[in-house]
Amino acid sequence: MNDETLFHPGRRLFLQSSAIALLAGIAGCTTFSDIDTSGGTGEDRSSGALAMVNDLRTKHGRTALVIDPAASRAAQQQARRMAKAGKMQHLIGLNDDFGSRMKANGVALPASENIAVGQDATAEAVTAWINSPRHLTNMLGNYRGIGVAVAQNPASGNRPYWAMVLSS
C-alpha cells in the first residue's frame, strides 16, 4: 500500500469516523463509581411489598421477612441507577459488582436482587416476580430482610424501574 492509497480522502474519512465512534463508545461507558444516582424520583416501597411477599413465603413454609433498612437503601440505589441509565440491568457499567454494591450499603450477605421495569404499582411488580421462576426462587430463599424501591427519571421516559433486595 502506498501513501496515496493510505491517505485517500475516503479512507481518511472512514478512519476518522471510526476513531470518533470508538471514542464516543469509550466516553459512554460508565463504572459503578461514575453513576450518579441523584435526579429523577425514587421511593421506598418495602412496606407495600412486605405483606405480599410474606403471604407467599408462608404458603411455602418459609419464615416471614422484615424490612431491612440496608436492603431498602440498596434497592433504592439500584432503582435510581436503572432509571438514570434507562436500562433494566443488575450490572450497569464496566466495574459494577453486586457484592460491592451490597457491602457499600451495609446489606448482610448473602443477598439477592430482583429487578423489573414498567409496572405501575408495587403489587404488579411483586406479581411479575412471583410469576418468574428465578425471581420466585429468590423470594423463597433463606433470607431475613427485604427492601423494595421504584424510581423514575424524566430523561429515560419516566418508566418505573423496580428493585428488590433480599438480605440475610
Side-chain angles (χ1 to χ4, degrees):
M1 187 180 288
N2 61 33
D3 287 344
E4 191 174 292
T5 306
L6 184 60
F7 295 109
H8 184 271
R11 182 167 175 81
R12 185 177 309 140
L13 180 60
F14 171 76
L15 292 171
Q16 288 171 339
S17 298
S18 297
I20 290 168
L22 178 63
L23 290 174
I26 291 170
C29 292
T30 57
T31 63
F32 171 65
S33 59
D34 293 337
I35 297 171
D36 175 11
T37 58
S38 64
T41 59
E43 56 185 91
D44 187 346
R45 296 286 181 90
S46 301
S47 58
L50 185 63
M52 273 184 86
V53 174
N54 280 340
D55 284 346
L56 170 76
R57 289 177 63 86
T58 299
K59 288 176 187 171
H60 286 86
R62 307 299 295 170
T63 59
L65 301 175
V66 297
I67 294 174
D68 175 0
S72 295
R73 277 191 309 275
Q76 287 179 60
Q77 179 190 48
Q78 179 63 9
R80 283 190 205 108
R81 293 171 72 236
M82 291 187 301
K84 175 117 177 138
K87 298 178 187 178
M88 185 186 78
Q89 291 182 306
H90 291 282
L91 303 177
I92 301 172
L94 295 175
N95 295 323
D96 194 3
D97 175 82
F98 175 76
S100 296
R101 280 194 290 113
M102 294 303 111
K103 285 180 186 177
N105 282 291
V107 174
L109 299 176
S112 65
E113 178 178 78
N114 290 345
I115 58 175
V117 65
Q119 295 79 8
D120 291 323
T122 306
E124 291 175 26
V126 173
T127 299
W129 290 321
I130 289 170
N131 291 329
S132 165
R134 208 162 181 188
H135 295 106
L136 176 62
T137 298
N138 284 345
M139 290 187 292
L140 296 175
N142 191 24
Y143 298 110
R144 296 181 187 155
I146 187 172
V148 177
V150 63
Q152 295 173 279
N153 183 348
S156 63
N158 270 329
R159 294 181 72 202
Y161 287 85
W162 293 86
M164 172 188 282
V165 173
L166 299 151
S167 61
S168 294

